[in-house]
Each structure stands twice: as structure tokens, then as C-alpha cells.
Amino acid sequence: MSPSIRVILAEDQAMVLGALSALLELEADISVIATTANGRDAFEAVGRMKPDVLVTDIEMPHMTGLELAANLRTNHPSVRTIILTTFARPGYLRRALDAGARGYLLKDRPAKELADAVRRVHRGMRVVDPALAAEAWNAELDPLTDRERQILQRAGDGRSSTEIATELHLSEGTVRNYLSEAIAKLGASNRVDAARIARTKGWL
């Protein structure tokens, strides 16, 4: 028999994590070697255990799934990442693929599809939810830069320019300039409105 595909799961909802692990363990050719509840622990587990595939949610504490995928592409390029999420938005799909993810699946799909995706991604293929892939062809391009996205996300969470500047090691004037650029690009009335628009489109 060929060796099992070694998988690490990253999901911050304990019941979902347990269910995913149990479902994948039913597959004879897949072995779940670790489960983690946040992106930082997932990244450390990958470094220790060297899996073949990482399956991760997008929204997680300490490091998002998109940040995790990008870090793995840089530091552990042999590990293939699948994003498993509720976000059925083309903007998230594009960001996931740009970050190096090899798969993007929605949580409401049948469990068998995840196992099949793990196998296909392990073989070097790319797996994307077909309905979302079709929608992404006609979706608007994300106009935000990485820095604008970082700042707008924090502003949308209610942090002040001073707090954002301190956290990102920037001047308050620089933060305000980035926010002004993001607001203008999105045709928003203020920073909160800009964050709302960007989240709706999957750009934050």
C-alpha cells in the first residue's frame, strides 16, 4: 500500500474541527496527524511534523488562513494548502490563490468532496468550488494594496489611527493617508463604510 496522505487541520471551532478530523480519518489513505485551533499553532505544527496537506479556515486567531497559506508558500513550499471556509465570495478566492492555496472549498459541500480535494491537491492539482470559480471570472479586481488592507481592517474593527500607527510602526499621518486612499478607491463615505464595502466584496 502507498503511504497515507499526512494532513494537519486548522479550525478555531472545536466541534467543526472534531468533525472534520473524524471524517477524514474514515478515509483509508488519509491520516490526520495534528489538529490546531489557530494559525500560529498550525504554522508551528507544520514545521515540526512536515505534513503533505494543510486544511485551514480563513478566520482564525493569531494568524488567518490566508496569512498561513502565504507563510507556508515561503517557508514550507512542499506543503499544499486547502482553504475550507463559509466565505463564498470571489474576493476571498482570489486572495487565497494569490497566497498560494491549492484548494478553496466551502463548508456546506459534502464531506466526500474534502477527502477528494485532499487527494487531488496532494497530486499537484488545484481544486476550487466550481460555482465560485465561475463567479470569480466576472468579479471586480481588489483595488487595495496589502498595507491599505491591513490598516482598513484595523480601522473597521474600531481602532483609532493612533492605535493602528503604534501597532504597525507607522506615523499617524501615514495611517491617515492610507485610509484616505482606501476610502477614495472604494467610493466610501468614511473608514467604517470603506471597511464594510471591502468585507462585503471579500477584500478584507
Side-chain angles (χ1 to χ4, degrees), residues 42-188:
F43 183 74
E44 292 174 355
V46 167
R48 290 194 313 272
M49 306 184 77
K50 304 295 189 293
D52 300 304
V53 177
L54 171 81
V55 179
T56 178
D57 195 0
I58 288 181
E59 285 196 338
M60 290 190 300
H62 306 306
M63 187 187 298
T64 70
L66 300 180
E67 292 168 339
L68 180 55
N71 281 332
L72 292 185
R73 179 178 59 182
T74 300
N75 296 284
H76 303 285
S78 65
V79 179
R80 297 185 169 101
T81 303
I82 296 174
I83 301 290
L84 183 65
T85 182
T86 58
F87 293 140
R89 300 173 190 164
Y92 278 109
L93 169 59
R94 289 194 179 197
R95 288 172 60 199
L97 296 180
D98 288 346
R102 302 294 300 175
Y104 193 100
L105 297 177
L106 302 179
K107 288 182 178 178
D108 61 359
R109 304 300 297 170
K112 272 289 181 186
E113 289 192 15
L114 176 58
D116 289 341
V118 167
R119 296 184 185 100
R120 292 167 67 189
V121 165
H122 181 243
R123 293 199 299 267
M125 301 170 68
R126 178 171 283 171
V127 180
V128 175
D129 183 273
L132 190 58
E135 188 179 348
W137 280 106
N138 299 315
E140 295 176 70
L141 293 176
D142 181 356
L144 301 173
T145 66
D146 287 340
R147 182 62 88 181
E148 287 167 353
R149 190 178 297 110
Q150 287 177 332
I151 291 172
L152 189 58
Q153 187 165 32
R154 288 163 173 78
D157 290 339
R159 299 185 206 178
S160 67
S161 294
T162 302
E163 291 171 326
I164 297 170
T166 300
E167 183 175 347
L168 298 180
H169 308 291
L170 300 170
S171 71
E172 287 186 52
T174 299
V175 168
R176 286 193 292 268
N177 287 340
Y178 277 119
L179 284 172
S180 295
E181 286 290 325
I183 290 167
K185 286 179 179 180
L186 298 174

